[in-house]
Amino acid sequence: MKRLVAMLLLVVMLGSTTAFSESIVMYAPHNGISICCRNGKYGFVRDDGEELHPPVFDEVNIFRNNCSIVCKNGLWGAIDKTGENIVPYEYDYVELAYSSETTKRFIVSNAKGTGILNEVGEPICELIYDSIRGYHNELAIVEFNGLMGLIDLQGDLVVSPQWEWIYYMTDGWALVSFEQEGETRYSFVNSKNERMEQTYLYAEPFSEGVAFVMDEDSANMISPLGKPIFDISWDDIHFSCSQGLIGVCKNGLWGYCSNNGDIIISPTWHNAMPFAPEGLASVKVDDKYGYIDECGRMIIEPFWATASDFSNGYAIVSDGNHYGLIDKSGSICIPPIWNDLQYPSEGLVAVQDSNGLWGFVDLSGKQQIDLCFSFVLSGFENGCALVIEPENNRQIWINSIGEVVCP
């Protein structure tokens, strides 16, 4: 009799488990929070099983920077890690544009326009702009009536929207373009909304204290004071300074000068790329690329058909047909056998096979996640990567073992 009761209890338990699994779908946890789905709606559950938010959302994102952008009844908002609503569900678009330990800025849009909210959902500027592009150096680009300017983290205009085009502020100056006497001219605007007196036919943003500018009959590098540092008498030149060096070309050979025009590395190479922050630059000898250091010494001998910048200790290289990965000693970590390949992220490398499908291998080239995605939109960050499924072009978040974290 006891055995029969136990069997009946087991059947009841199995039946209830099956019913539960049919009504609730749990996705892999991320940052201690899992996504649950019931009757086509999404919510969140903590790792301890406690419900963070009931499944009422049409669409959700994984928690990043302690918040999730969510959609309810066709309108977007955001919740924090306690489940509290911090951006009201009343916008056609919500984007986390800036985040620090204490400060957040959300770009939001509805029929009124585009504006910015703070970390508790209060507007720091009204929804009056045509568009806003996210923060860089704590400034965002705003567009109003077809003209562009810059706004700070407090919502105050640093550069008023009066320019046809603007780039973020570097070295205290923002590059702008405008129409003058029927032609497009370039100049620079500072944080006091004052424009540099000089205008140019073409210009590049400031980098490491210099900016490339060009007029009808001359090209120069100028200082933040607007003064020419040196006239450009080279056949070609890089438009920016990187690691204190500027690539220059004479008679078909490339070298590097300082930001005051002094030759540091004599023109020797058939091509040369800007120095990466890790202190190496890709240079070409005949038809092969290798790497030199900031003194011009060859660190990795020319061997590759193409060679990218080093990033976090690794560079993407090609034998002319396929791509692989090397480290700063020049050792091959992943052989050039892939149609395409991305930089490593959290120890995993996105690779594409000959069928056009993407997956992930580790830094030794061993496959970790099946090649079954049509594209990898972003590598791993905080344990998740954004990929596209080939069957329906749906974007999904996966974790480091390939589980779906968020559909």
Side-chain angles (χ1 to χ4, degrees):
M1 183 66 179
K2 289 182 180 179
R3 183 179 178 186
L4 177 60
V5 171
M7 289 177 66
L8 289 172
L9 285 173
L10 179 61
V11 169
V12 171
M13 290 172 64
L14 287 172
S16 63
T17 302
T18 303
F20 181 80
S21 65
E22 287 175 351
S23 60
I24 293 282
V25 178
M26 298 292 291
Y27 293 93
H30 175 62
N31 287 337
I33 297 173
S34 298
I35 294 167
C36 64
C37 178
R38 183 173 61 221
N39 301 324
K41 298 290 184 178
Y42 296 97
F44 297 93
V45 177
R46 294 191 181 92
D47 276 356
D48 60 9
E50 182 181 350
E51 186 178 72
L52 175 68
H53 200 290
V56 298
F57 300 117
D58 307 319
E59 297 182 58
V60 295
N61 288 275
I62 60 172
F63 270 84
R64 303 175 79 188
N65 298 298
N66 296 320
C67 69
S68 174
I69 309 297
V70 295
C71 180
K72 184 178 181 181
N73 298 325
L75 294 174
W76 290 87
I79 62 173
D80 64 16
K81 288 197 75 170
T82 69
E84 291 296 316
N85 177 217
I86 54 175
V87 174
Y89 313 118
E90 56 186 61
Y91 299 102
D92 300 323
Y93 175 81
V94 176
E95 173 195 345
L96 180 61
Y98 178 88
S99 181
S100 68
E101 288 187 8
T102 58
T103 305
K104 283 182 173 55
R105 295 293 181 262
F106 296 91
I107 296 174
V108 297
S109 296
N110 61 19
K112 297 178 182 177
T114 302
I116 301 177
L117 309 184
N118 64 13
E119 57 277 354
V120 294
E122 298 169 339
I124 65 164
C125 70
E126 299 300 325
L127 278 70
I128 59 172
Y129 295 105
D130 303 329
S131 68
I132 301 178
R133 274 180 273 167
Y135 281 91
H136 176 69
N137 293 334
E138 300 190 350
L139 295 174
I141 296 174
V142 296
E143 185 174 357
F144 183 74
N145 289 337
L147 297 174
M148 303 175 77
L150 293 172
I151 194 171
D152 64 17
L153 286 171
Q154 287 69 49
D156 297 324
L157 283 168
V158 176
V159 177
S160 59
Q162 63 189 78
W163 309 103
E164 291 182 357
W165 178 85
I166 193 168
Y167 185 74
Y168 296 101
M169 199 165 284
T170 55
D171 290 342
W173 292 95
L175 177 61
V176 297
S177 72
F178 53 97
E179 187 172 312
Q180 186 179 72
E181 297 179 356
E183 69 174 3
T184 298
R185 302 291 292 182
Y186 291 83
S187 190
F188 299 89
V189 177
N190 63 20
S191 57
K192 296 180 181 179
N193 204 22
E194 300 168 335
R195 181 174 70 80
M196 193 178 286
E197 182 179 354
Q198 301 89 334
T199 68
Y200 305 97
L201 182 65
Y202 180 78
E204 288 283 330
F206 274 94
S207 60
E208 299 188 17
V210 297
F212 173 84
V213 297
M214 186 170 65
D215 244 322
E216 289 82 352
D217 55 357
S218 66
N220 295 285
M221 286 289 184
I222 63 169
S223 73
L225 298 176
K227 305 296 184 184
I229 301 175
F230 60 93
D231 291 333
I232 295 171
S233 58
W234 305 96
D235 301 333
D236 203 352
I237 188 169
H238 290 167
F239 287 165
S240 62
C241 184
S242 178
Q243 307 303 111
L245 295 169
I246 304 167
V248 292
C249 179
K250 194 72 172 180
N251 298 325
L253 295 177
W254 283 83
Y256 296 86
C257 71
S258 68
N259 59 9
N260 61 13
D262 296 332
I263 285 293
I264 305 299
I265 301 174
S266 298
T268 308
W269 323 107
H270 293 107
N271 198 4
M273 301 296 111
F275 272 88
E278 298 189 16
L280 295 179
S282 171
V283 296
K284 188 177 185 181
V285 179
D286 296 326
D287 61 347
K288 300 294 183 182
Y289 281 89
Y291 292 87
I292 62 170
D293 65 13
E294 293 169 354
C295 296
R297 294 173 297 206
M298 187 65 75
I299 302 301
I300 299 174
E301 292 296 322
F303 181 78
W304 303 103
T306 64
S308 70
D309 287 344
F310 272 91
S311 177
N312 295 319
Y314 298 94
I316 298 169
V317 294
S318 169
D319 61 6
N321 297 306
H322 298 93
Y323 293 89
L325 199 72
I326 63 171
D327 63 21
K328 292 184 75 172
S329 72
S331 298
I332 297 174
C333 305
I334 298 176
I337 60 174
W338 301 103
N339 272 26
D340 203 355
L341 177 145
Q342 297 180 4
Y343 282 102
S345 54
E346 298 186 355
L348 293 175
V349 181
V351 294
Q352 184 193 46
D353 66 12
S354 58
N355 296 316
L357 292 176
W358 288 81
F360 291 86
V361 299
D362 62 21
L363 288 170
S364 69
K366 183 180 179 181
Q367 186 168 315
Q368 299 296 320
I369 298 175
D370 289 344
L371 284 85
C372 59
F373 306 109
S374 57
F375 194 64
V376 175
L377 289 170
S378 69
F380 279 91
E381 181 183 351
N382 297 321
C384 288
L386 185 61
V387 299
I388 298 179
E389 293 181 310
E391 299 85 7
N392 50 23
N393 279 334
R394 184 176 68 156
Q395 297 181 17
I396 59 172
W397 290 95
I398 60 170
N399 64 15
S400 59
I401 58 174
E403 295 175 326
V404 177
V405 175
C406 177

